[in-house]
Amino acid sequence: MPRDRFKLAEIAQKHWVRPGEQIVWAVERKGHVGSAGKAPHALVGGVPQAGLPEPEWPLPTTAVSTGRFSMDEWAHDPAVWGWAHAQSPDQIAVRWADLFTAGRDECWLLLSDQRLGLVVEGEVLEPGRGGLFTRSREPKREVAPLVTWWEAPVGAARRFVAVPLGRAVEPEWFVRVEFADGSAFDFRDPRAEQSVRTAYANLGGHAAT
């Protein structure tokens, strides 16, 4: 079971950041990720073999899983948390979709005032944790609090935008991370406007507005 974002941010501030670095966001995946016109996302590249259980999330609607929707109507499907927009499989948004998919609900997005990262808690990647051999006489191997699956300087993101999506009178709000390589990744956030303001209040001149 993943921690709440405040606890994860606390762990990241203690164990993941570098001297002088400050955590801004800790974002939990809360549903399926889509790409290439449908959801769930189909893996494109190699991913860590984490062996994590599939969360008990509801499946996307038939319309979304088969690509029978118009424009951004996928945003109205509550089972969909994120969406990768890309023109080629080697772009960052696709890599994020791959890693979020492999990491299930244990993969977190971290934004600091210096870096972006996708991380998983080390203890959930430890095979046999809590199993039959936990009382072995062998000394316990040190487990990193957070394992980084992907990271880049925050400048890899061209900008962060709060975007209202969907076709209803009341839109579905998402944060869009627009990458310098031309791809983008959306994640559902009812407080998207506040999240973007928080990001820019802490980033200074690291990302363009």
Side-chain angles (χ1 to χ4, degrees):
M1 178 65 68
R3 301 176 188 268
D4 67 63
R5 63 189 178 93
F6 300 106
K7 185 61 178 176
L8 200 287
E10 186 179 301
I11 294 170
Q13 189 62 48
K14 185 175 181 180
H15 298 287
W16 189 76
V17 301
R18 298 162 181 166
E21 187 176 8
Q22 183 68 40
I23 291 294
V24 178
W25 289 344
V27 180
E28 176 188 0
R29 178 188 171 195
K30 293 183 177 180
H32 295 282
V33 172
S35 67
K38 61 183 179 179
H41 169 75
L43 292 176
V44 174
V47 295
Q49 297 302 305
L52 297 170
E54 191 73 43
E56 295 181 359
W57 291 325
L59 292 174
T61 62
T62 301
V64 172
S65 64
T66 58
R68 296 201 304 269
F69 58 88
S70 177
M71 304 294 286
D72 56 4
E73 288 177 340
W74 57 265
H76 295 300
D77 188 337
V80 178
W81 169 79
W83 203 274
H85 307 274
Q87 295 75 48
S88 65
D90 59 346
Q91 289 181 295
I92 294 175
V94 178
R95 188 62 183 153
W96 276 27
D98 276 353
L99 293 174
F100 274 122
T101 298
R104 314 298 193 204
D105 57 349
E106 300 287 359
C107 186
W108 290 77
L109 164 61
L110 294 180
L111 170 67
S112 77
D113 56 0
Q114 299 178 24
R115 290 180 291 160
L116 279 162
L118 299 185
V119 303
V120 178
E121 286 191 83
E123 65 182 27
V124 307
L125 299 176
E126 275 295 287
R129 62 186 177 90
L132 296 175
F133 303 102
T134 54
R135 297 185 180 181
S136 168
R137 293 179 182 177
E138 295 181 8
K140 288 187 176 180
R141 184 163 58 86
E142 188 71 22
V143 177
L146 295 176
V147 176
T148 301
W149 279 5
W150 179 94
E151 72 170 89
V154 72
R158 188 169 60 86
R159 64 175 185 160
F160 305 96
V161 192
V163 290
L165 300 180
R167 292 291 177 266
V169 174
E170 289 294 324
E172 303 289 337
W173 282 94
F174 285 74
V175 171
R176 176 168 293 164
V177 183
E178 296 184 355
F179 297 108
D181 68 1
S183 65
F185 190 92
D186 299 341
F187 62 86
R188 190 181 295 274
D189 182 354
R191 295 170 53 84
E193 293 175 299
Q194 179 59 52
S195 295
V196 169
R197 284 195 293 268
T198 298
Y200 280 113
N202 288 275
L203 290 178
H206 288 293
T209 56

